[in-house]
Amino acid sequence: MTQVLRSRAELRAALASVPRPVGLVPTMGWLHDGHRSLIRRARADNPTVVTTIFVNPRQFSQAQDFTKYPRNEVRDVAICADEGVDIVWAPPADEVYVPGFDTLVSVGAIALPLEGAARPGHFDGVATVVAILFGLVGAEHAYFGQKDAQQVMVIRRMARDLALPTEVITCPIVREPDGLALSSRNVHLSLAERAAAPVLRQALLAACRKWGAGERSGDALRATMRAALTAVPLAQPEYVSVADGLTLRELDRIDGPALLSVAVRFGSTRLIDNELLEA
Ligand code: AMP
């Protein structure tokens, strides 16, 4: 039986007597197979699974993006029930940010480039809400998608630095058959934009192939990705990056683990994708 809870108090009470370990899957809802894969991994690892559904206003820099974010709680709860989630926590905003809430969790250098530069304040919002969820749920394990590669790095940094007892586990990117990474935002794509959107993956794979053939210049791989993206008229690249896999600093030469990542706009919809290069 899946319980749907709203308040901090109900959640705390329910968690007091559950079998351990607890696996936590934080989401913003509009669940898809990417979220399902996280829940399945949590289900396999833990006798108790908690999924949270909360569209976190503090991680959106534009009010419009927050308002337009897709929501369907009834459907989301049905998916959680189907996946055997024990507890869904779907709180109103004032149960997350309690009256008088006045704390910001701000991670340093790793949160500055890429998504941090494109979306000022985004990772402060993410780190703050995840710190609240870690504190409330007290899970042994929490599951995040590699789809948001920098996000999971920021959360790992926060959890280590603050000695939070929740272990962060990264799950692989789930994709459509044509390579487009699943995202709640895909619903906003027009038919033509949806048809063009696999170019993110194609651009990343083109750079991967060059790397596989021995190319080690960051600029060469960035140029490869940019060329693939600009060949598609509907795609407006926001950034293409070849960064150090640990620090996210842009690389001149690749001589260790690297993260290829892209952010691309299709009209008002912004998509991201990435690929890890490991020897
Ligand atoms: P969101 O609801 O977009 O905040 O995402 C909740 C979690 O699901 C995050 O840890 C995401 O990285 C993860 N996620 C989103 N899309 C995918 C995907 N296509 N594959 C794997 N994980 C994903």
Side-chain angles (χ1 to χ4, degrees):
M1 256 295 283
T2 305
Q3 295 187 71
V4 181
L5 305 176
R6 306 283 171 199
S7 70
R8 287 187 176 201
E10 284 173 312
L11 179 63
R12 281 235 163 86
L15 284 167
S17 57
V18 296
R20 318 290 309 190
V22 171
L24 168 67
V25 181
T27 82
M28 296 206 298
W30 201 262
L31 302 183
H32 51 63
D33 285 355
H35 301 108
R36 278 192 194 255
S37 75
L38 268 48
I39 295 172
R40 282 184 195 157
R41 174 73 197 277
R43 187 70 285 170
D45 291 354
N46 306 276
T48 301
V49 175
V50 178
T51 298
T52 61
I53 299 174
F54 178 61
V55 184
N56 175 29
R58 292 185 185 222
Q59 71 188 68
F60 291 84
S61 32
Q62 285 166 343
Q64 193 201 3
D65 192 26
F66 170 70
T67 320
K68 154 176 151 171
Y69 200 83
R71 294 162 169 90
N72 187 339
E73 191 189 296
V74 172
R75 184 171 155 277
D76 289 342
V77 169
I79 288 173
C80 289
D82 185 47
E83 294 295 343
V85 171
D86 299 291
I87 296 173
V88 173
W89 194 52
D94 63 357
E95 286 291 332
V96 177
Y97 302 111
V98 291
F101 189 94
D102 196 18
T103 295
L104 192 67
V105 180
S106 191
V107 174
I110 198 108
L112 292 178
L114 306 174
E115 292 300 289
R119 305 176 67 190
H122 171 68
F123 284 124
D124 289 350
V126 169
T128 301
V129 80
V130 172
I132 296 168
L133 296 177
F134 280 17
L136 269 171
V137 177
E140 281 81 358
H141 307 126
Y143 299 82
F144 295 89
Q146 177 63 20
K147 161 82 189 333
D148 300 282
Q150 188 179 13
Q151 169 171 281
V152 78
M153 293 171 84
V154 166
I155 291 166
R156 275 182 195 283
R157 178 84 268 154
M158 171 191 77
R160 278 199 201 122
D161 290 356
L162 301 182
L164 306 181
T166 303
E167 183 192 347
V168 173
I169 293 154
T170 308
C171 301
I173 303 177
V174 177
R175 300 177 179 283
E176 300 284 3
D178 63 8
L180 175 63
L182 298 191
S183 164
S184 307
R185 290 192 162 84
N186 293 351
V187 68
H188 295 309
L189 297 170
S190 70
L191 276 178
E193 289 165 350
R194 172 63 190 83
V199 71
L200 276 82
R201 174 79 171 145
Q202 288 152 11
L204 290 163
L205 289 181
C208 278
R209 280 194 297 273
K210 288 231 159 132
W211 177 80
E215 181 61 76
R216 291 295 179 269
S217 151
D219 277 345
L221 297 191
R222 281 183 284 268
T224 299
M225 292 192 281
R226 200 166 277 286
L229 293 171
T230 49
V232 172
L234 286 173
Q236 298 163 281
E238 201 171 272
Y239 63 72
V240 300
S241 164
V242 179
D244 183 285
L246 294 176
T247 65
L248 294 186
R249 275 195 289 266
E250 287 302 310
L251 291 173
D252 294 330
R253 270 201 71 74
I254 304 166
D255 47 22
L259 182 74
L260 305 180
S261 62
V262 295
V264 181
R265 279 188 190 280
F266 291 86
S268 60
T269 307
R270 186 174 179 280
L271 302 182
I272 58 172
D273 201 348
N274 69 85
E275 190 69 41
L276 263 178
L277 298 181
E278 285 167 308

